[in-house]
Amino acid sequence: PTDAFVKICQDELTDMMGPVKTELDMAPSGTPTGVMMVGLNGVGKTTTTAKLARFLEKQGHKPLLVAADVYRPAAIEQLQVLGTRLNIPVYADFENKDPVVICEAAMQEARKSRNDIVLFDTAGRQTVDDALMAELFDIKKRVKPKNIFLVADAMIGQDAVKTASEFNERLNISGVVLTKLDGDARGGAALSIKETTGAPIKFLGMGESLDKLEEFRPDGLASRILGMGDVVGLVKDFEEVMDVEQAEKDAQRMLRGQFTMTDFLEQLRAIKKMGSLGDLMEKLPFFQDGMPEGMNVDDREIVKIESIIQSMTKKERQDVALFDKQPSRIERVAN
């Protein structure tokens, strides 16, 4: 009965947060599609804008990033650094202090450079105020973006709902990106934001690195809210870093008892590419009430294991029985 009840809850949560539509609303052919990124300061808006640009580039688009936050110190430089890292162009104008003019000029630049998507990294504030909203409304009126995405911090929980309602009231947002889900937040705010604004959750920010943006899956977040992990999300992370055919061969060798320390080292390196161990543990279904107290997942442990295996000879990696036969080998590896 307990499992049946949890299943009913999960199905209801999934239905409430769906349906999913992560595709952008595209402008007519020949016109760049505008994507306005809005939200308060500190929610990870600039990084999320860069992550979304990378995501769209992988889909075959040619994005242009626009530095439209002229107030926050080093906001323009931050976007430029991220653009350089991703090899994605950034439109910036240090002379002009009018974000509306900057956004209009960026659209013209996109037409010239044949960029099909323009992502506007707009200004935020500590709290919603009339001056901010007036500026964002002016940008919307002038550049007519097909998409307005609210970037909200999952860590602030239900406070995100109030913010979402205010932004939606003034700008009629078309989607939400929930950030900082790599921390302790379970993501329950997604449920409330969807219910109050009607705007779909589009993407989830799952970590600091620029590839940690996931398309929203209601079933995965429903599992997380109920404390059941997200195994599908974990498998998707795994597929990003592993060759599926190679993984199949490794599994077959393991079943035949032919799995060596070299294979193990490759597996460890794949796990490291997937992100921190803490993030991975969050997605496993074993700890429904969070990680047990006192259980510390330290990424440096993997570095130690790598060092131990790299200190072995090729023969030792193939046949660990050598350590039983000649204990002096253990001492050498330990040193």
Side-chain angles (χ1 to χ4, degrees), residues 312-329:
M312 296 176 185
T313 65
K314 202 172 177 181
K315 274 186 180 174
E316 286 165 348
R317 291 186 203 187
Q318 296 292 330
D319 180 14
V320 290
L322 289 170
F323 291 111
D324 279 339
K325 293 171 192 166
Q326 295 169 293
S328 59
R329 289 175 182 270

Side-chain angles (χ1 to χ4, degrees), residues 164-272:
S165 299
E166 289 176 341
F167 272 94
N168 189 50
E169 203 176 294
R170 307 281 192 99
L171 298 169
N172 191 22
I173 59 175
S174 50
V176 178
V177 184
L178 213 54
T179 63
K180 304 187 186 176
L181 271 160
D182 51 319
D184 295 331
R186 284 213 174 158
L191 191 65
S192 309
I193 289 171
K194 173 73 167 54
E195 198 66 20
T196 37
T197 65
I201 312 295
K202 296 275 190 178
F203 299 96
L204 304 178
M206 304 298 290
E208 287 291 315
S209 64
L210 293 172
D211 55 353
K212 294 292 181 186
L213 187 75
E214 293 182 5
E215 288 182 275
F216 175 59
R217 288 183 306 100
D219 54 337
L221 196 60
S223 290
R224 187 185 171 113
I225 289 168
L226 293 169
M228 292 158 55
D230 179 10
V231 175
V232 176
L234 194 62
V235 170
K236 285 197 168 190
D237 289 347
F238 181 73
E239 285 171 346
E240 285 275 312
V241 299
M242 274 299 276
D243 180 323
V244 178
E245 275 185 39
Q246 185 59 46
E248 188 69 36
K249 285 177 191 167
D250 287 348
Q252 291 297 330
R253 283 213 313 284
M254 197 185 281
L255 290 169
R256 290 197 296 267
Q258 295 169 347
F259 195 74
T260 68
M261 282 288 177
T262 305
D263 297 319
F264 180 51
L265 187 60
E266 290 306 312
Q267 297 274 318
L268 280 183
R269 285 174 175 164
I271 287 169
K272 274 174 76 178

Side-chain angles (χ1 to χ4, degrees), residues 45-91:
K45 190 159 26 52
T46 301
T47 309
T48 300
T49 306
K51 285 181 182 181
L52 183 55
R54 183 179 189 272
F55 176 87
L56 293 166
E57 189 185 46
K58 280 166 80 176
Q59 289 191 331
H61 294 288
K62 195 183 171 192
L64 173 70
L65 290 162
V66 181
D69 182 355
V70 297
Y71 310 108
R72 184 167 64 87
I76 298 172
E77 289 88 342
Q78 184 191 355
L79 194 65
Q80 286 178 319
V81 167
L82 294 172
T84 304
R85 274 170 58 189
L86 295 171
N87 201 22
I88 290 173
V90 176
Y91 182 86

Side-chain angles (χ1 to χ4, degrees), residues 100-169:
V100 181
V101 174
I102 291 169
C103 291
E104 278 189 308
M107 282 300 258
Q108 288 169 4
E109 177 64 30
R111 285 188 185 91
K112 274 193 276 181
S113 309
R114 303 264 172 94
N115 297 97
D116 62 338
I117 292 179
V118 185
L119 295 130
F120 302 100
D121 178 30
T122 65
R125 298 278 196 282
Q126 291 305 314
T127 55
V128 175
D129 66 31
D130 287 337
L132 168 67
M133 286 304 179
E135 179 183 295
L136 295 175
F137 187 77
D138 282 348
I139 294 173
K140 178 185 174 180
K141 207 163 91 181
R142 294 278 192 95
V143 299
K144 297 181 174 56
K146 294 292 285 182
N147 307 268
I148 300 177
F149 290 166
L150 172 71
V151 183
D153 181 347
M155 297 291 282
I156 64 169
Q158 298 306 321
D159 281 353
V161 181
K162 182 171 173 280
T163 305
S165 299
E166 289 176 341
F167 272 94
N168 189 50
E169 203 176 294

